[in-house]
Every structure is written in structure tokens, then in C-alpha cells.
Amino acid sequence: MVPSLEEDRLNKPYEEVIHLADLIQKGCSNARGDDTKGLKGAIIDWISPPGEDLNPRLARNIKSDRGFHHPRTGGLLCPVDLNWSNEEIKTKLRNQEINTVGDQWPMFLFEDSRYDPDDPWKGLFRSHLLVTAYKYIFTSPSSVDKEPKATKSGNARIHGMTQVTLASIAYVATQVRFALSSMSTFSRTDCVLDSERFYLSILELFDDVDEQQEVNDLVSWWNSDRMLNKNDTVHSNIKAKRAALKALTRNVSAGTSSQHIS
């Protein structure tokens, strides 16, 4: 992102290095703030029934009624180890008699909000809500429409991103979790959402050496959707088919290895 930054750091006075670091941190904070502000209203459209309002309705600019206070956002935020259909659980979550922590992952991370305890990877990080938010942040807000309109370049193109990264998936998941919550101010160290722990727990899974086959399949899945390239070109199709073939080859090799071991 910043060419020759390491070389500059070694050749510049300490005060200039600190100033540069402050500028980079400020830029990151401003970008995160823009993403948070944008998702605040947009996410209401994504979680509402097509052509209808939520019941009860949710305001786009006020978050106090979100989180576990609303049946829709509460169901999406409910940790997979709790039963949102249980009225006692709902009440305790709303009253904070049950406090959730960052490594209790919510249902919205899973495709169709369905968690299979016998196959925890099934649908994980493949939800429509997560994909929509990713496109909104890294491609452009208009890219989530069925008929995208011409607009300015998205963050991915501006910063030279050509593939979906694991860290960016964790980042978007953290932003979506905050947008669904009733918290008004984003803080990585807040004690209610425990956002930093949530983000780091996702990265910890992605870095786990024992989970690399599933992680690689996940990356292939995201990139086969050509998230960062809206143009259906010959080149993009070739790359997508190659990624799918690699994923298939890994699965076949893993199955063959298992037969030899048994």
C-alpha cells in the first residue's frame, strides 16, 4: 500500500516516522468511520422483507431499538449456542442477564442463518448479508443493487485489491455485527460487543494450521464470485474456473489420503 515505507522509516528522523504513523492511523480510522456510517442505514434495507418494512420498524439513523431489542436483529446476532426462539433466552439477552462475548459467534455469519453443530464450517462466512456488506464496502454501494449504476471506484479498486482477503472478511463481519447492534459508538475495546475479541477470534481460526483446507476453500468461494471485479471478462472467467479446479483437486487429494490412512 505504501511503497518503500520500511526504507523511509530507516532513513527519516524519529519525529517524522511518528508523524507518518499518526497519519496512517488517522486514515484508517476515517475509513472505518465511513464504513460504519454507511452500513448503519443500508443494513436495514438488506434485512427487511422484499418490498416491505420490518415489523416493528427500525429507524435508519437511530440504533437504540436494534440488537436484542428487535426480533430481526436479535435473531441475526444471537450466538449459535443459544436458542433465539426461547422466550426466556430472549428476555435474558435483552436484560443483559446473559452477556455474550466476542468468541460467541452470531447466526448471521452462516448461510441462511443455519448452524450445524455437527459440521461447523457448513455455510460459515457465506451468508448473503455478509456478501452484501462486503460488496457495499469494497466494491461500491451501488454494486449491491440488482442493476448496478455507474459510480465512483470502490475501495478495492482504489487500493489495488484484486482478491478477497481473510482479514477483509473478518473486518466486514465486525462491521455488520456492530451495525446490527444497539451500540451507538464503535470501539474495539467496548465491554458489551467485545469487538476486538470477535475480530481476533475470526483471524485465529483463519490462521489455524489444522483448518487450512476449509480456509482455502472459503477463499476460493469468495473469489469465484468475482467480488472485486464486476466485469465478466474472459480473464476473470479463466481465473474463476482455475480457482474452482484447485479447490476440487484439494478435496480429491484429501479423500485419497484419508483412504490410504484407513
Side-chain angles (χ1 to χ4, degrees), residues 13-188:
Y14 176 76
E15 292 77 9
E16 290 189 31
V17 173
I18 295 300
H19 178 63
L20 179 59
D22 288 342
L23 290 176
I24 293 174
Q25 182 60 45
K26 183 178 180 180
C28 293
S29 297
N30 289 341
R32 183 176 64 244
D34 290 343
D35 295 338
T36 301
K37 182 179 179 181
L39 287 181
K40 183 178 181 179
I43 203 165
I44 301 300
D45 298 328
W46 306 337
I47 65 175
S48 299
E52 301 178 24
D53 290 328
L54 287 170
N55 186 22
R57 296 185 65 178
L58 283 175
R60 300 177 67 86
N61 58 346
I62 299 174
K63 297 187 65 188
S64 57
D65 290 337
R66 301 186 191 185
F68 298 124
H69 303 296
H70 192 278
R72 179 63 172 143
T73 54
L76 292 168
L77 285 172
C78 185
V80 297
D81 57 333
L82 298 177
N83 183 4
W84 180 248
S85 63
N86 185 310
E87 292 299 325
E88 183 180 359
I89 295 294
K90 286 183 184 178
T91 300
K92 289 184 176 181
L93 285 169
R94 288 167 179 161
N95 297 337
Q96 295 187 351
E97 294 178 56
I98 296 178
N99 293 313
T100 60
V101 293
D103 55 6
Q104 285 182 286
W105 289 357
M107 292 297 298
F108 80 80
L109 292 179
F110 294 84
E111 186 176 10
D112 298 326
S113 294
R114 294 178 181 176
Y115 169 65
D116 183 353
D118 296 323
D119 185 7
W121 269 104
K122 185 177 181 180
L124 180 58
F125 302 115
R126 289 172 168 86
S127 72
H128 179 70
L129 181 58
L130 200 59
V131 170
T132 301
Y134 197 105
K135 288 182 177 180
Y136 183 92
I137 291 174
F138 286 105
T139 304
S140 70
S142 66
S143 69
V144 304
D145 299 330
K146 290 184 178 180
E147 297 180 1
K149 301 176 287 293
T151 184
K152 63 181 181 180
S153 296
N155 289 331
R157 181 170 297 181
I158 291 172
H159 298 295
M161 286 178 64
T162 58
Q163 290 188 328
V164 174
T165 65
L166 293 170
S168 63
I169 295 173
Y171 170 76
V172 172
T174 304
Q175 283 282 3
V176 170
R177 185 168 175 262
F178 175 76
L180 292 171
S181 77
S182 59
M183 298 290 291
S184 59
T185 304
F186 184 93
S187 172
R188 64 184 180 85

